[in-house]
Amino acid sequence: MKTSIKKAILPAAGLGTRFLPATKASPKEMLPIVDKPLIQYAVEESIACGIEDFIIITGKYKRAIEDHFDTAYRLEEKLRTSGKEKILAELNKLNHINLAYIRQRTPLGLGHAILCAKPFVKDEPFAVILSDDVIDPEYPLLKEMIKIYEKKKCPVIALEEVPLSEVHRYGIIDGKSDGNVYKINNLIEKPKPEKSPSNLAIIGRYILTPEIFGILEKQEAGAGGEIQLTDALRRLLKKAPIYGYLIEGRKRYDAGDKLGYLEATVDFALKNKELSEDFKNYLIEKIKPLI
Ligand code: UTP
């Protein structure tokens, strides 16, 4: 598949404080949903769009991510000799991708994490995928965003409607819609509900252009003392249009949050061929006394 977006940045250097103690010494991005870590879902979603070059922004206690995408000789040998070819093929199916790892020395925010990739992106447009925002693999969100980018040649960000009571957790946009596509007029990081321009929240999929790096370089810390991508996008908006793509239905899970993680686990298990029947029966038995 040919695409104008060849590289994806996967920021994975955050501290994952909402998921402590699980994330004290192991990466949030390695939390599994059924049998695959969050970051592998993000990689597979990108591969489905023709992206094969990945820049993963890592930090302290994130070594497991590198090991996950590396060859595991002993394990592979054991699988081979015991005839477990199916699992072996599953383990090897991502061998063709190119991966680079950059260490964000201090977690200064998402904007700063993206800036760390500047020397490796140079002057190409690129995707940013936040692994803890899990998208239903059947929903071609990134593909739709790339299509919009190819038409407009401007940054495109993914949007989701959230309850007004939750806007303080997100970057929120103000914009004008044409179907699912929004032309953005303004972006605000974590507004108070009464000051929020809408309930359209920015979620973890972005198609960005390299102009963002120059802005991030001059960017001061914003909400939470972090270098916020939303603040940089607001400044970019003064120079170039930015579009949003609104997802509809229940297709995004905030797997960096305990409830969102559990919801994703239940939904993905119910769709898993090997598990769905038994798991559904288990859930029905479990829920019966409660209703
Ligand atoms: P989150 O807002 O989910 O922050 O970051 P977090 O630190 O991972 O988790 P909590 O809120 O403390 O529980 C969004 C994305 O940006 C990355 C994270 O790894 C995640 O993918 N990130 C965040 C960085 O790479 N570096 C940072 O300095 C901050």
Side-chain angles (χ1 to χ4, degrees), residues 219-243:
Q219 178 88 28
E220 308 231 318
E226 295 193 338
I227 297 179
Q228 297 287 355
L229 178 61
T230 309
D231 295 340
L233 288 170
R234 190 173 52 251
R235 287 166 69 196
L236 181 62
L237 197 55
K238 293 194 179 123
K239 299 186 195 166
I242 301 179
Y243 290 87

Side-chain angles (χ1 to χ4, degrees), residues 11-18 28-29 104 107-110 113 130 132:
L15 297 176
T17 50
R18 286 170 297 157
K28 169 171 73 173
E29 294 73 17
Q104 185 189 20
L108 296 176
L110 175 60
L130 307 188
D132 51 351

Side-chain angles (χ1 to χ4, degrees), residues 7-34:
K7 291 191 173 125
I9 302 178
L10 273 51
L15 297 176
T17 50
R18 286 170 297 157
F19 233 116
L20 283 167
T23 46
K24 185 180 169 201
S26 51
K28 169 171 73 173
E29 294 73 17
M30 288 301 294
L31 288 170
I33 296 199
V34 185

Side-chain angles (χ1 to χ4, degrees), residues 1-6 46-52 143 146-147 150:
M1 181 187 184
K2 282 211 160 160
T3 170
S4 52
I5 307 297
K6 302 201 163 33
S46 312
I47 292 174
C49 298
I51 297 172
E52 295 195 343
K143 268 190 200 136
I146 293 175
K147 273 192 214 155
E150 284 171 349

Side-chain angles (χ1 to χ4, degrees), residues 4-7 9 55 117-127 149 153 207-214:
S4 52
I5 307 297
K6 302 201 163 33
K7 291 191 173 125
I9 302 178
I55 302 168
K118 181 186 171 200
F120 304 89
V121 172
K122 298 196 176 127
D123 52 4
E124 286 174 55
F126 56 94
Y149 169 78
K153 300 284 178 224
I207 306 293
L208 298 178
T209 50
E211 291 82 61
I212 198 74
F213 293 126

